[in-house]
Amino acid sequence: MVKKRQILVIGHNTNGCTPEHEKIAYDVGVEIAKSGSVLISGGLGGVMTASAHGAKDAGGLTVGIIPQDDASEANEFCDVVIPTGMGLTRDFLNALSADGVIIVGGGSGTLSETCAAYMNKKPMVAIRNLNGPVMQYIDGYLDHRKNVKIIGVDTAQEAVKKILELITA
């Protein structure tokens, strides 16, 4: 049996998530499902809900790793819910569970997950022009270590294609 690829989608929670973010995240979820990969997210609102919704609509498998200790806190599109009870520390579980990461906008929580993925040399792709603190690092590195470049793309389709290339490289 071959292990399925696991792609983490991160970005704005409900606060700050625009219809543009939701549309792109939904499309990312669809593309992840079409690739036969598992979508992982933080399991809550905004980009997390939209990406899981897209994956579910396309027949994919979704996993939500939530900061709460009650599985009922996850969005309705999570097939598997992992209630950590760890608060924001769960960002590290999200990053370590992924083979690659797709970034759709986001705030400080997204930056935290990005840093965790960066320190663990996880391939990352970010959608350009969606605001947020990660945007300044697109096509560059978070710091002098140059652990992994955050590759910028313009569409959901490009994001999934590129992350799959990076995972298999």
Side-chain angles (χ1 to χ4, degrees):
M1 183 170 155
V2 177
K3 176 191 163 298
K4 287 185 175 251
R5 293 170 302 234
Q6 298 176 181
I7 301 174
L8 174 64
V9 179
I10 59 177
H12 286 292
N13 198 339
T14 304
N15 187 15
C17 189
T18 68
E20 180 183 19
H21 292 113
E22 289 176 348
K23 170 72 170 111
I24 291 170
Y26 180 91
D27 291 345
V28 164
V30 167
E31 294 299 317
I32 289 171
K34 285 169 47 177
S35 78
S37 302
V38 176
L39 182 137
I40 299 174
S41 76
L44 301 177
V47 163
M48 297 170 276
T49 297
S51 62
H53 187 180
K56 287 301 298 169
D57 282 355
L61 177 65
T62 63
V63 177
I65 303 173
I66 64 172
Q68 298 89 346
D69 60 5
D70 180 358
S72 71
E73 298 282 334
N75 72 62
E76 67 270 28
F77 302 105
C78 293
D79 291 312
V80 177
V81 177
I82 301 171
T84 66
M86 299 174 70
L88 298 177
T89 305
R90 77 79 155 82
D91 292 353
F92 287 85
L93 289 178
N94 292 357
L96 289 168
S97 297
D99 296 312
V101 181
I102 296 176
I103 306 163
V104 182
S108 60
T110 303
L111 183 58
S112 171
E113 286 172 302
T114 301
C115 289
Y118 181 83
M119 292 305 293
N120 288 282
K121 300 179 181 170
K122 300 290 182 170
M124 288 186 276
V125 172
I127 309 282
R128 291 187 183 99
N129 302 315
L130 292 180
N131 298 324
V134 174
M135 298 302 115
Q136 66 184 310
Y137 300 106
I138 288 179
D139 295 322
Y141 303 93
L142 287 178
D143 68 11
H144 65 282
R145 292 177 188 89
K146 296 186 177 180
N147 283 346
V148 62
K149 189 179 233 181
I150 299 172
I151 307 297
V153 297
D154 296 310
T155 68
Q157 294 76 18
E158 289 177 57
V160 175
K161 181 180 180 202
K162 186 56 153 178
I163 202 66
L164 291 172
E165 287 172 10
L166 295 169
I167 289 169
T168 57

